[in-house]
Amino acid sequence: MLRISKFTDYGTVILALMADNPASTHSAASIAQQVGLPGSTVSKLLKMMNRSGLLTSCRGKQGGYSLAKAPQEISLADVVEALEGPFGVTECSRQNGLCQLEERCAIRHQWQGVNGVIHNALQQVSLAALQQPSTVTGAPDFKANA
Amino acid sequence: MLRISKFTDYGTVILALMADNPASTHSAASIAQQVGLPGSTVSKLLKMMNRSGLLTSCRGKQGGYSLAKAPQEISLADVVEALEGPFGVTECSRQNGLCQLEERCAIRHQWQGVNGVIHNALQQVSLAALQQPSTVTGAPDFKANA
DNA sequence: TAATACAGTACCAGTATAGTCCTATATTGA
DNA sequence: TCAATATAGGACTATACTGGTACTGTATTA
Ligand code: FES
Ligand code: FES
């Protein structure tokens, strides 16, 4: 399926929650409780997003996580890449040498174009946009002639 | 990963090949040979796409598959849906009752918007467009304000 | 120094993916 | 009629990924 993993989905939910109070720090436990997911899962996600640079962390009492950047500057593309690695709609559009058809494939370049378009789409949706109701609409504008 | 399956990728390669000769019928064996994939795999894909209505088939000698519609009228979205089922970027954006967060999730609606945008993007790329070099470009035009 | 909270990683079960194989059925042509 | 061709429809396998859990270690602070 052309689908993001549940983890990434959860990640966006968590980040959206944190974006409500961008200044304060949030502990894994409190986030888990608010969002209704098992603590261990939330903890794992926070660790991953921290390692990818989306969050900053502090240990000890009063510790927790907070957003590394302003909500306007974190996009869905950032979250996807943080939790799922390099962006690629097809195996082939992400990196060379992964697809056995690469040599004789006539449409590889086209998929890379599609990949760019979708990546771009996700880049234009920030955490801040997620908080506002129904801001994400509109059809993409292609130069594809057909 | 936000990625289509290899099968779907292969499917587009096969359809693009068939779109070169939209009129004639192509046997599974000849397609496999041209595209460089194992015959059994190609056969499976053709059967799936036939059942989804993308292709028409004819058995017996001189039999084979051909496109059910003109190359201009078959989009990447069609192929994805034929081979991967209903379109949904997130578990939740596709159907109700699949995600445990549904009730308290603040951003479900936003993901559905993103889903629509991506679906739309794939709908705008047809088999005919795949054949031409570098026709797929351009950034999507969002109303998302951030 | 004890409690808190993150860091890292290993682990497991369930599921999806990619690929193969086998039997049945329809069509054609000799 | 018969044999060859070619699709129809599954069942089946091995592998990889996903979602979720558990455990050990380290930093901070009251
Ligand atoms: S390069 Fe992989 S299918 Fe085209
Ligand atoms: S409804 Fe599933 S994460 Fe929002």
Side-chain angles (χ1 to χ4, degrees):
Chain A
M1 275 303 306
L2 180 55
R3 186 168 50 197
I4 64 168
S5 68
K6 271 191 185 179
F7 268 26
T8 307
D9 200 355
Y10 294 163
T12 60
V13 173
I14 291 173
L15 290 176
L17 179 75
M18 295 176 76
D20 285 335
N21 285 68
S24 57
T25 72
H26 313 255
S27 78
S30 80
I31 291 180
Q33 194 257 317
Q34 288 178 78
V35 90
L37 285 172
S40 37
T41 300
V42 169
S43 178
K44 184 182 188 175
L45 282 167
L46 289 167
K47 277 182 262 188
M48 291 172 82
M49 294 194 285
N50 178 46
R51 231 172 309 175
S52 309
L54 257 51
L55 302 176
T56 57
S57 67
C58 242
R59 300 199 223 193
K61 265 179 180 171
Q62 319 300 336
Y65 297 91
S66 41
L67 296 180
K69 291 183 283 187
Q72 294 81 24
E73 314 209 324
I74 300 180
S75 71
L76 288 185
D78 294 330
V79 184
V80 171
E81 283 178 317
L83 293 174
E84 313 197 337
F87 195 90
V89 174
T90 62
E91 197 83 34
C92 343
S93 60
R94 183 174 41 157
Q95 193 184 338
N96 293 346
L98 287 177
C99 178
Q100 56 181 294
L101 298 185
E102 240 172 70
E103 285 304 317
R104 51 211 302 192
C105 180
I107 62 171
R108 183 161 180 241
H109 186 253
Q110 310 289 3
W111 266 119
Q112 289 178 333
V114 172
N115 189 54
V117 170
I118 293 181
H119 192 209
N120 213 305
L122 292 180
Q123 255 169 350
Q124 300 201 17
V125 183
S126 73
L127 290 189
L130 281 187
Q131 300 178 290
Q132 302 161 19
S134 39
T135 47
V136 183
T137 51
D141 170 34
F142 280 101
K143 299 204 189 84
N145 44 357
Chain B
M1 276 302 305
L2 182 55
R3 185 168 51 195
I4 64 168
S5 68
K6 271 192 185 178
F7 268 27
T8 307
D9 200 357
Y10 295 164
T12 59
V13 173
I14 291 173
L15 289 176
L17 179 74
M18 294 177 75
D20 285 335
N21 285 68
S24 56
T25 72
H26 312 254
S27 78
S30 80
I31 290 179
Q33 193 257 318
Q34 288 179 78
V35 91
L37 286 172
S40 38
T41 300
V42 169
S43 177
K44 184 182 188 173
L45 282 166
L46 289 167
K47 277 183 261 187
M48 292 171 80
M49 294 194 285
N50 178 46
R51 232 171 310 177
S52 309
L54 257 53
L55 303 176
T56 57
S57 66
C58 243
R59 301 198 221 193
K61 266 181 181 168
Q62 322 298 335
Y65 297 90
S66 42
L67 297 180
K69 291 183 283 187
Q72 293 82 23
E73 315 210 324
I74 300 179
S75 72
L76 289 186
D78 294 331
V79 184
V80 170
E81 286 181 314
L83 294 174
E84 312 196 337
F87 195 89
V89 173
T90 63
E91 198 82 34
C92 344
S93 61
R94 184 174 41 156
Q95 194 184 337
N96 292 345
L98 287 177
C99 178
Q100 58 181 289
L101 298 185
E102 240 172 69
E103 285 306 315
R104 52 211 304 190
C105 180
I107 63 171
R108 185 164 181 239
H109 186 253
Q110 310 290 1
W111 266 118
Q112 290 179 332
V114 172
N115 188 54
V117 170
I118 293 180
H119 192 208
N120 213 305
L122 292 180
Q123 255 170 348
Q124 300 201 17
V125 184
S126 70
L127 290 188
L130 282 186
Q131 300 178 288
Q132 302 162 19
S134 41
T135 47
V136 182
T137 51
D141 170 34
F142 280 101
K143 298 202 187 86
N145 44 355

